[in-house]
Amino acid sequence: MNALEEINLKGFVDEYIDPTLDLFEEIEKLKKEKNAVILAHYYQDPDIQDIADYIGDSLGLSQQAAKTDANIIVFAGVHFMAETAKILSPDKKVLLPDVKAGCSLSDSCPPHLFRKFKEKYPDHLVITYVNCTAELKALSDIVCTSSNAVQIVESLPKDQKIIFGPDRNLGAYVMKKTGRDMVLWNGACMVHEIFSQEKITKLKERHPNAKFIAHPECEDAILKMADYIGSTTGLLNYTIKDSATEFIVATETGIIHQMEKENPGKTFIPAPPNNSCACNDCPHMKRNTLEKLYLCLKNELPEVDVPREIIEKARLPIERMLDISAKLGL
Ligand code: 13P
Ligand code: SF4
């Protein structure tokens, strides 16, 4: 099997790695040799977060991808994030340790169906959450992330009609915060929809001093219980600034690694899912491993590419988001 066939089948080049190698050292060496930068999302494994040049939420990662002067971007995240980096830096090589690292939320909005949906509302502006394919971004007017969705909607005239997709939970949260009515696409993230209201209530009773913090991709019933709602960076910053010493965290578990690093002595409890067989790990994010990251940097594969015509259409809505965010100091 050649490398491309293997990538099609497995998502990565599965090569033997000498077990005596120190992968942290090897990755550092390759990074220097190739002028590569590693951008990692907070939901990645702790090892990947620790070797990354930059760790962040979707907005922070897009801002870094737009400004890096590295020749190679290794995106330790999921496919839509690597695509966003490629759209913003089309002349750079963008690598994803496992190209099958997808996203249930992005999958819940196939572009051909969204196009038909959009045709029903010709006088509406289209705002899409960054968790979607490059093709969907190309059908949008403005992209947003969980850290700027409210501000982006608020920056538009009050009577502006809006379609918001693909996340119905983030959309409903933005509607509540802004008082605007929006037409929502019915998509959701498989990780943020599993939290149990009943089990969180019981957990809060057992930890009366704990603050409950949640990502806006969670359902409204869960958000209603939260002391703070925010993007992954927002949640992390809240745990640093707030005086509480215990936090119940309703988002993917990867962020807890940074929360513990930033807050020695504070305790972080993952919010319980409704099904005891379920867990708060994103199966897509967790496809990436340190071994796959090493192999991808070594072989410069798998590479994520986006067709030129899609890049041309998808770039503007992302740049609008970055411009609005820069003006607002986000
Ligand atoms: P943020 O890091 O932007 O909060 O996004 C969370 C998420 O679900 C990414 O897939
Ligand atoms: Fe997609 Fe949810 Fe995983 Fe984020 S946590 S990559 S939104 S499935």
Side-chain angles (χ1 to χ4, degrees):
M1 210 185 322
N2 67 33
L4 287 178
E5 281 167 348
E6 202 168 24
I7 288 168
N8 282 339
L9 194 71
K10 297 184 174 174
F12 59 100
V13 183
D14 193 6
E15 210 177 85
Y16 171 78
I17 303 175
D18 176 352
T20 62
L21 279 185
D22 179 334
L23 291 188
F24 287 94
E25 264 176 30
E26 295 303 314
I27 291 170
E28 286 300 345
K29 262 193 253 164
L30 287 169
K31 251 173 35 181
K32 282 196 193 91
E33 234 171 70
K34 297 177 183 243
N35 187 25
V37 68
I38 300 176
L39 307 183
H41 189 266
Y42 289 123
Y43 295 165
Q44 292 294 288
D45 270 346
D47 278 350
I48 297 183
Q49 294 190 35
D50 291 346
I51 192 93
D53 297 291
Y54 177 85
I55 325 165
D57 66 359
S58 307
L59 176 63
L61 290 166
S62 311
Q63 288 164 332
Q64 292 296 320
K67 72 176 186 199
T68 181
D69 52 16
N71 296 335
I72 296 179
I73 299 174
V74 182
F75 214 112
V78 290
H79 197 267
F80 75 80
M81 294 179 167
E83 277 188 336
T84 307
K86 183 70 189 177
I87 294 165
L88 289 167
S89 287
D91 300 328
K92 298 191 190 306
K93 190 177 263 190
V94 177
L95 305 173
L96 183 60
D98 186 325
V99 84
K100 289 196 185 229
C103 169
S104 67
L105 176 53
S106 176
D107 290 346
S108 69
C109 194
H112 69 286
L113 295 181
F114 191 77
R115 187 178 283 111
K116 283 194 183 139
F117 177 72
K118 182 181 154 175
E119 277 165 16
K120 288 200 265 175
Y121 306 97
D123 55 348
H124 285 53
L125 192 100
V126 179
I127 304 184
T128 51
Y129 186 33
V130 71
N131 299 32
C132 65
T133 59
E135 219 181 318
L136 208 81
K137 291 181 178 80
L139 294 170
S140 315
D141 296 300
I142 314 181
V143 167
C144 72
T145 74
S146 57
S147 58
N148 59 24
V150 167
Q151 291 87 339
I152 285 184
V153 169
E154 272 171 349
S155 74
L156 301 170
K158 283 220 158 23
D159 57 352
Q160 176 63 59
K161 293 177 181 166
I162 300 168
I163 293 177
F164 187 94
D167 189 11
R168 62 168 178 253
N169 293 321
L170 178 64
Y173 170 72
V174 171
M175 275 168 51
K176 215 170 173 176
K177 289 291 274 186
T178 60
R180 309 275 182 109
D181 198 19
M182 304 193 294
V183 179
L184 303 182
W185 178 267
N186 191 16
C189 157
M190 62 188 285
V191 178
H192 290 89
E193 285 228 312
I194 58 160
F195 298 113
S196 160
Q197 200 182 346
E198 205 184 317
K199 289 184 186 167
I200 294 168
T201 306
K202 284 189 186 142
L203 191 62
K204 281 174 73 145
E205 280 163 15
R206 289 207 301 279
H207 298 269
N209 297 323
K211 289 278 175 69
F212 175 58
I213 58 176
H215 193 279
E217 285 176 26
C218 295
E219 290 173 319
D220 183 52
I222 303 296
L223 296 181
K224 276 197 179 111
M225 304 169 79
D227 295 297
Y228 177 78
I229 299 166
S231 77
T232 49
T233 298
L235 296 175
L236 176 63
N237 290 341
Y238 182 80
T239 64
I240 297 168
K241 286 189 198 126
D242 195 78
S243 59
T245 55
E246 265 190 321
F247 297 86
I248 300 168
V249 184
T251 190
E252 214 269 359
T253 52
I255 184 74
I256 291 181
H257 179 58
Q258 286 309 313
M259 289 175 172
E260 286 175 341
K261 273 178 96 170
E262 294 285 343
N263 297 290
K266 293 191 182 182
T267 306
F268 300 93
I269 310 166
N274 48 31
N275 174 341
S276 48
C277 297
C279 77
N280 317 353
D281 281 343
C282 171
H284 310 290
M285 286 278 182
K286 297 298 200 259
R287 282 189 72 99
N288 296 325
T289 60
L290 194 67
E291 288 75 14
K292 289 180 189 173
L293 195 154
Y294 162 69
L295 289 176
C296 117
L297 187 51
K298 180 172 167 263
N299 296 307
E300 300 188 22
L301 285 171
E303 187 178 352
V304 171
D305 211 353
V306 178
R308 279 279 149 179
E309 66 277 14
I310 300 284
I311 291 188
E312 274 157 27
K313 289 185 191 148
R315 202 181 161 94
L316 186 62
I318 304 173
E319 280 178 350
R320 282 190 183 127
M321 166 186 84
L322 293 177
D323 287 349
I324 297 173
S325 300
K327 275 188 201 122
L328 296 169
L330 298 171

